[in-house]
Amino acid sequence: GQQLNQSPQSMFIQEGEDVSMNCTSSSIFNTWLWYKQDPGEGPVLLIALYKAGELTSNGRLTAQFGITRKDSFLNISASIPSDVGIYFCAGFNSGNTPLVFGKGTRLSVIA
Amino acid sequence: NAGVTQTPKFRILKIGQSMTLQCTQDMNHNYMYWYRQDPGMGLKLIYYSVGAGITDKGEVPNGYNVSRSTTEDFPLRLELAAPSQTSVYFCAARLAGTYEQYFGPGTRLTVT
């Protein structure tokens, strides 16, 4: 089945630093999604992208839908301790097909 | 509006025991999903349902069964628990025609 390659697998950063992570696929998606999972919780949607080349922001988070439709990027600016968690990318096409999730990037923020 | 609820939150099973993980959603969403998340790993799709009476296998269905007799409920059944089924199980729901998937808080299962 389809797979998403997410990198890096984990990151340790200092509070205040910017963070970048990305997700690539061997096949095209019509929608890219970024979720965050806080420790002990279920994932929650952060940002959704619908169009190739689209750049969307949600507070300190910015995500981009790659022009090839096979990749997406998430940036977090000026990280804070509550940014700790696992960030998942997900690709979606349409209809009944389930979302395809990446394996996640585990972010740790050192105060 | 509770969203997606899961019970129990935690459970310890002995090898060979059976149990049902409950999932209920009050959003009238058509699609429901069961995932497992092993320690330090991503989400693996076990089963999903596009509506009452319809279920489909995901990536890792072996050892599990599901049913969808109502729109609201999507229970996951383990018949003969094995240590390999130790994991955190998440249920999710999505409205047809939309992309946002809402997750429950998870059930942490240990099989010893």
Side-chain angles (χ1 to χ4, degrees):
Chain A
Q2 291 174 309
Q3 289 196 344
L4 298 183
N5 297 311
Q6 204 170 336
S7 65
Q9 275 190 315
S10 61
M11 310 178 70
F12 288 83
I13 60 167
Q14 294 280 348
E15 184 177 357
E17 286 184 349
D18 297 343
V19 174
S20 289
M21 59 189 79
N22 69 75
C23 197
T24 60
S25 169
S26 57
S27 54
I28 288 169
F29 286 104
N30 293 326
T31 302
W32 281 93
L33 307 161
W34 285 92
Y35 281 80
K36 184 194 177 197
Q37 183 181 25
D38 287 330
E41 305 282 332
V44 173
L45 183 66
L46 295 174
I47 288 181
L49 302 151
Y50 309 103
K51 206 164 63 169
E54 178 182 356
L55 191 71
T56 296
S57 293
N58 178 6
R60 292 177 297 106
L61 278 61
T62 302
Q64 183 158 26
F65 191 144
I67 57 171
T68 65
R69 294 165 62 196
K70 291 184 178 181
D71 56 7
S72 181
F73 306 87
L74 177 70
N75 295 315
I76 305 172
S77 62
S79 58
I80 58 178
S82 62
D83 290 335
V84 164
I86 304 176
Y87 291 80
F88 291 102
C89 61
F92 175 64
N93 281 325
S94 62
N96 294 345
T97 56
L99 273 64
V100 179
F101 282 90
K103 293 187 176 179
T105 292
R106 185 180 295 271
L107 179 65
S108 301
V109 179
I110 304 164
Chain B
N1 189 344
V4 180
T5 57
Q6 292 182 238
T7 57
K9 285 194 186 328
F10 304 93
R11 184 73 186 268
I12 299 174
L13 280 183
K14 292 192 187 307
I15 294 171
Q17 285 185 319
S18 62
M19 79 163 292
T20 299
L21 283 68
Q22 302 291 347
C23 176
T24 299
Q25 53 101 3
D26 61 2
M27 302 176 289
N28 205 31
H29 285 189
N30 320 71
Y31 302 158
M32 295 187 76
Y33 306 87
W34 273 107
Y35 295 89
R36 59 176 287 172
Q37 184 178 33
D38 298 333
M41 303 293 284
L43 301 163
K44 291 186 178 178
L45 183 64
I46 305 171
Y47 269 97
Y48 66 103
S49 168
V50 301
I54 306 169
T55 61
D56 259 306
K57 294 179 181 178
E59 183 185 353
V60 289
N62 291 344
Y64 306 95
N65 277 304
V66 292
S67 59
R68 184 95 182 272
S69 55
T70 66
T71 298
E72 294 78 22
D73 300 306
F74 191 40
L76 178 71
R77 178 95 180 144
L78 283 71
E79 290 293 350
L80 288 170
S84 61
Q85 293 178 306
T86 293
S87 193
V88 181
Y89 291 83
F90 289 101
C91 179
R94 179 168 69 88
L95 184 65
T98 68
Y99 53 80
E100 183 162 3
Q101 205 160 285
Y102 295 86
F103 285 82
T107 293
R108 186 176 296 273
L109 177 68
T110 302
V111 183
T112 62

